[in-house]
Amino acid sequence: MLNEFHFDHDFLENERLIDIEVMNEILLKKWFNFGCLYFPYARIQDYLHALELHDATLIQEWKTAFASFKHCDVPEPYKKVSEHHDLNEICTSTQNYGVSTTIVNKDDAIRFGIPNIAYQNNGINEVVCNESIQNSHFFNESERYALQDIPSGEAINTVWNTRFQNIAKHTSVITIIDRYLFANLEDDINVRQTSIKKFADFLRPLNKQFSLNIYSVGDDKNSSRHLCIERYLRDNKTEGDRLGDVFSYVELSSCTDEKFRDASHDRFVRFDNFVLSLGLGFGIFRSYPVGPCSFSVKNFIYTNFDSTISSMSPNRLWVVRGQY
């Protein structure tokens, strides 16, 4: 999952952060791998200006982070950490922003009486000094869920809330590689809720639309499976609880079973820059409680996802597209 965190632009000017390079590296790594920074886009120039006292290499790393790492706008009215009166006010403001972790400098930590480890607000959110970032409950929780397999019997709602929800919340494009998805979909139509519809049900409360791409074994063009999948996509444009409420665009692609054996034995769901590897694949949204399932989350640069897609895309047997 992603940890939604915040710091104000004054934080980037604190002497400890400027003087100790490793503090920057730790925070940037956490942001890249497990975080989504909430900050007011209207004040981006204040953030960039605050970087001017840093080493040139770090300035570029921070600029890259603001340009390409996950982030989310905090609308006005907005108050910097120092403009709050006490910890309770900070926690209330950041909770309203949707932030779990607020990172402050040493001076603000002393001023607001933040413990050396962190200030925990009843499990809702926290305030952490940058020197204690390794003690952040929510960053540590995000890292744990990114590495920990799903135990047998886990409720699907728990799996979604702890491992998918925050990543999906900050995603526009979802790409699934699962050799068995189309076969399972064909089996489930008119029998039970399909995995795609269950997935859509989880996405619907986020009140946004996604582009969905799926690669699976769909047999040859005009095969019974191809026609079944095509009909399913067409029918769900108009029926109640339709996929169009959640997906603005759907593209379903068939590759041979041999291509999957060669290019993608594992099964993945990619949310923008984050790739989730799932032992059970998309089947976790088909049968639940979930069986034991290997699980990991990585930024796509640490995976073979792009090369897999590059190998499969020119070798598709058929493609079905739906614009909603």
Side-chain angles (χ1 to χ4, degrees):
M1 61 180 287
L2 286 187
N3 183 30
E4 297 160 318
F5 72 105
H6 169 68
F7 53 77
D8 61 27
H9 66 265
D10 287 346
F11 169 79
L12 294 173
E13 295 180 324
N14 86 79
E15 292 181 0
R16 298 282 288 173
L17 195 67
I18 293 171
D19 294 340
I20 304 177
E21 182 177 342
V22 69
M23 285 188 179
N24 294 264
E25 299 298 340
I26 290 171
L27 183 52
L28 285 166
K29 185 176 181 180
K30 286 186 178 294
W31 182 2
F32 181 74
N33 288 318
F34 309 111
C36 177
L37 176 67
Y38 278 56
F39 75 96
Y41 291 173
R43 305 192 187 194
I44 181 59
Q45 292 305 318
D46 293 332
Y47 281 81
L48 297 180
H49 178 72
L51 293 171
E52 292 179 359
L53 295 176
H54 287 258
D55 177 81
T57 301
L58 282 175
I59 290 174
Q60 187 55 51
E61 289 184 21
W62 277 107
K63 286 183 175 180
T64 298
F66 277 103
S68 60
F69 293 8
K70 280 292 180 188
H71 51 70
C72 184
D73 188 24
V74 174
E76 299 291 349
Y78 164 79
K79 294 169 68 174
K80 298 188 299 181
V81 170
S82 61
E83 294 172 338
H84 293 82
H85 294 96
D86 53 40
L87 268 176
N88 287 334
E89 188 180 359
I90 293 174
C91 290
T92 298
S93 291
T94 53
Q95 183 180 351
N96 291 336
Y97 301 154
V99 166
S100 295
T101 300
T102 300
I103 306 173
V104 300
N105 60 43
K106 188 69 172 180
D107 290 341
D108 282 335
I110 294 171
R111 175 190 166 195
F112 291 109
I114 298 169
N116 288 336
I117 298 176
Y119 175 76
Q120 300 290 337
N121 180 30
N122 297 319
I124 299 171
N125 54 15
E126 65 182 355
V127 183
V128 182
C129 178
N130 64 302
E131 296 181 19
S132 302
I133 190 64
Q134 300 286 35
N135 295 317
S136 164
H137 167 75
F138 290 101
F139 267 120
N140 290 342
E141 187 177 63
S142 295
E143 184 171 359
R144 176 168 65 87
Y145 279 118
L147 300 172
Q148 186 178 48
D149 289 346
I150 301 170
S152 179
E154 188 93 315
I156 186 61
N157 285 12
T158 300
V159 172
W160 177 263
N161 292 336
T162 56
R163 301 168 190 266
F164 286 85
Q165 181 173 268
N166 281 4
I167 291 179
K169 183 178 177 181
H170 300 287
T171 290
S172 298
V173 179
I174 301 170
T175 304
I176 302 164
I177 301 177
D178 185 333
R179 67 195 297 185
Y180 304 111
L181 196 157
F182 288 164
N184 291 336
L185 182 63
E186 184 180 28
D187 288 344
D188 293 343
I189 293 173
N190 299 323
V191 175
R192 60 178 174 179
Q193 186 183 43
T194 66
S195 57
I196 292 178
K197 279 206 167 184
K198 184 65 175 179
F199 187 58
D201 284 348
F202 279 123
L203 293 171
R204 190 168 283 108
L206 299 178
N207 295 316
K208 60 185 292 186
Q209 287 189 308
F210 304 83
S211 175
L212 176 67
N213 305 281
I214 300 176
Y215 288 76
S216 187
V217 175
D219 296 342
D220 292 329
K221 188 173 183 178
N222 294 323
S223 64
S224 61
R225 181 170 296 168
H226 172 215
L227 297 177
C228 175
I229 301 298
E230 188 174 52
R231 184 169 57 252
Y232 175 79
L233 188 62
R234 182 180 64 246
D235 290 347
N236 278 281
K237 286 185 178 183
T238 56
E239 71 173 32
D241 210 24
R242 63 194 181 95
L243 298 179
D245 294 341
V246 176
F247 304 113
S248 58
Y249 176 78
V250 176
E251 182 173 294
L252 310 179
S253 301
S254 173
C255 293
T256 65
D257 197 58
E258 290 75 18
K259 173 53 69 174
F260 271 90
R261 285 201 299 268
D262 293 342
S264 184
H265 179 73
D266 295 327
R267 296 186 267 181
F268 307 99
V269 182
R270 176 172 175 172
F271 294 85
D272 283 357
N273 290 343
F274 292 94
V275 177
L276 283 61
S277 177
L278 295 152
L280 294 176
F282 214 62
I284 67 166
F285 297 108
R286 182 182 185 231
S287 180
Y288 31 83
V290 178
C293 177
S294 61
F295 180 91
S296 68
V297 182
K298 298 177 183 177
N299 193 287
F300 80 99
I301 69 167
Y302 300 132
T303 74
N304 295 321
F305 194 92
D306 281 354
S307 60
T308 299
I309 290 292
S310 296
S311 173
M312 300 180 86
S313 292
N315 294 287
R316 291 179 284 186
L317 301 174
W318 54 259
V319 180
V320 173
R321 299 179 175 89
Q323 190 84 38
Y324 294 111

